[in-house]
Amino acid sequence: MPDLAQPFHRTRGRARALAMLLAVGVAAPVLPMTACKSQPSIPGTEIPDTDDNRQIIGVLERYRTSFVSRDAAAVLATAHPTYYDEGGTDDPSDDTTYADLGPLLRRRMSQLDSIRFTIDYLEIHVTGDRAIARVWVDASFRFKPLLDSYGEPRDQPPYARVQDHSEFELVREGDNWLIVRGI
């Protein structure tokens, strides 16, 4: 009479071996990722805690808080004199230079009634004296109402919401980092 327990033990042994292989196969790619996490990160981010990264986040936070307080001069102070942004298009009419930035910021900020603006820092790549910071922006703006010829509001104040990935390019000048693209 055949031993019915024998195939069961072989099957159970194969199942254990298969489960072990699957566990190793799933864990193997994770091990190198967790092993690279030896350097501490800046609190609230997964950005490695380095002097450059802290300084870059500091500049971007000054930009953000200056924007929220509608201080165009303080926002402009975070920009480098070589600032140039193509506005994400091939149309040169929407390009912004450092000389354009101050008047543009003052005009746009004068139209705002309230601002909520947060930045989540995703990645920072530093190469020599240049850096790219990739971020997630979550902002909402309420604009001042348009007035008619009698000074009365024509419509309800419009709102705008921005939720998108964004990229800032910075350059080191001396001991400071300044934004050359992305405001």
Side-chain angles (χ1 to χ4, degrees):
M1 184 161 147
D3 183 7
L4 295 178
Q6 186 62 28
F8 177 74
H9 288 298
R10 270 191 255 151
T11 304
R12 191 166 51 175
R14 285 185 192 145
R16 281 187 189 155
L18 180 60
M20 194 128 156
L21 285 174
L22 284 174
V24 170
V26 169
V30 175
L31 291 176
M33 288 189 286
T34 56
C36 295
K37 190 86 169 146
S38 63
Q39 186 174 19
S41 60
I42 295 173
T45 75
E46 293 185 17
I47 306 291
D49 192 353
T50 66
D51 286 341
D52 283 338
N53 289 347
R54 279 188 176 271
Q55 289 173 11
I56 289 166
I57 288 176
V59 168
L60 295 176
E61 279 299 300
R62 278 194 310 277
Y63 153 72
R64 185 190 67 78
T65 57
S66 298
F67 199 94
V68 168
S69 64
R70 288 176 249 151
D71 185 346
V75 171
L76 191 60
T78 65
H80 191 268
T82 62
Y83 184 89
Y84 184 82
D85 200 328
E86 296 170 346
T89 69
D90 292 333
D91 181 5
S93 69
D94 68 353
D95 293 359
T96 305
T97 65
Y98 183 79
D100 303 327
L101 193 56
L104 177 68
L105 288 168
R106 284 189 293 279
R107 185 175 71 250
R108 286 187 179 166
M109 288 179 180
S110 72
Q111 298 169 347
L112 297 174
D113 193 32
S114 64
I115 303 168
R116 186 194 55 76
F117 184 9
T118 62
I119 297 177
D120 291 328
Y121 299 96
L122 306 175
E123 298 177 326
I124 297 177
H125 300 281
V126 177
T127 306
D129 287 341
R130 298 195 74 79
I132 299 288
R134 291 188 178 91
V135 302
W136 174 257
V137 171
D138 185 359
S140 57
F141 308 93
R142 185 174 62 200
F143 296 96
K144 292 179 181 174
L146 297 173
L147 304 178
D148 63 17
S149 58
Y150 299 106
E152 298 295 321
R154 284 192 274 180
D155 352 70
Q156 293 294 330
Y159 295 87
R161 177 114 194 237
V162 177
Q163 287 184 310
D164 203 358
H165 287 97
S166 190
E167 191 173 273
F168 292 90
E169 187 174 332
L170 298 94
V171 65
R172 183 190 342 248
E173 186 169 274
D175 293 335
N176 299 318
W177 286 94
L178 294 170
I179 303 169
V180 292
R181 185 179 56 83
I183 293 177

